[in-house]
Amino acid sequence: KNIRRVHGDVLGQFLPMLRLLVRAPSASIVSAPYRRVLASGFSNRASWGDVLSDSSSGSGAYVQRNPPLNTGVRFVPQQEAWVVERFGRFNRIVTGGLEVFVPFIERISYVHSLKEETLLNPTQSAITLDNVPIQIDGVLYFKIVDPYKASYGVGNAIFALRQLAQTTMRSVVGGMTLDSTFKEREHLNAEIVNEANKASLNWGIDCIRHEVREIVPPANVIKAMEMQVEADRRKRAEILQSEGERQAAINSAEGKRQSAILISEAYHVEQVNQAKGRAEAVMLEAKAQAEALLLQSDAAAKSLEMLASAITVPGGEKAVALRVASEYISAFERLGGKSSTIIVPANVNDATGMVAQALTMFDALSNKNKPAEISAGNISPFFSKVGVTPPQQ
């Protein structure tokens, strides 16, 4: 009893001072793992080996919380699961809220976060299918779904999960080529998650997804890849340039072809239009000539009708003779005004003979006898009858 009393007095004196150091602004006095141990009240579940393993872990890595001290009444945070043992045997799992514990009989053995957590998969060496060594790392996202299995199914669930992720990553990378590891990251992540879930489900952990953060090949491989990328870019540039020149030549030829087609079509249309114009002109001219001939024939018919009616009138023959003589004289007047060579009758000076000949033809056509005084050599009585002076020799 005295020993226990002395032990309690020592803890009662030094524990508040140590807790003040934990809450002190200067974080360099006590490291984070040691502060967690001191804040938990030196629970017998928090060993110094766990502290050293936690302090060696990388920044941002998941760290399993140490169970708090049983003080009788505790507030369980939201999204946390506390595994309670009674007399060293599993009793129950408590979640967020106010909980009452029996001191010295019950003990909070394990504390698990029910949130989605991240676990750093540290950088490790792996050899691809084409024998290229690479350095690869990633991040595993997981969630504890069964606190009982996470507590009693495996000694250290987080350590086992990290080792499983590393070995699975090496196995999957060993079945892929170097190019596939860059191109098929989704496949690589899916394979790691599937293989990890096969074992982690028995530990009460669900692996949600895995993301490869960085893949680092050797320096000589990186240089070869850069040269390959540069060659591919140069090849694509030359191909694009040649395709551009080819397309330009095709476009130029197509333009010339279209231009020639349009020029020939325009010439064809022009010729058709000219032919149509000439045809329409000829048709119009023929139509005009036909109409002129019709008008001339109508005029000639009317003239003949008027002449025939004039002949039947008393004195009509004299008028006809006068008209013939007048036309004869007018014809010679028109011939005199031209310088061209023409053919004339031999007796051109014998006007009376020409008139007598014309009248004789008229009488022959009309089947009538002419007066005896009008003959081929003597038409003076005819001119005297009509009151016209006969032409002189």
Side-chain angles (χ1 to χ4, degrees), residues 9-20:
D9 293 339
V10 173
L11 289 178
Q13 291 177 4
F14 287 96
L15 187 58
M17 184 175 60
L18 293 175
R19 289 183 176 177
L20 288 176

Side-chain angles (χ1 to χ4, degrees), residues 157-215:
I158 305 304
F159 177 78
L161 184 62
R162 181 183 288 113
Q163 297 301 315
L164 179 63
Q166 292 178 357
T167 56
T168 304
M169 182 182 293
R170 291 194 190 97
S171 175
V172 174
V173 170
M176 301 173 64
T177 61
L178 180 62
D179 294 336
S180 300
T181 57
F182 290 104
K183 296 178 181 179
E184 302 178 2
R185 287 199 177 192
E186 294 183 359
H187 173 69
L188 176 62
N189 294 326
E191 287 294 329
I192 294 174
V193 171
N194 293 334
E195 294 296 329
N197 277 328
K198 292 179 181 179
S200 64
L201 290 178
N202 295 327
W203 304 338
I205 300 175
D206 181 22
C207 296
I208 300 174
R209 61 186 179 276
H210 182 275
E211 296 295 337
V212 175
R213 294 201 308 175
E214 190 176 7
I215 300 175

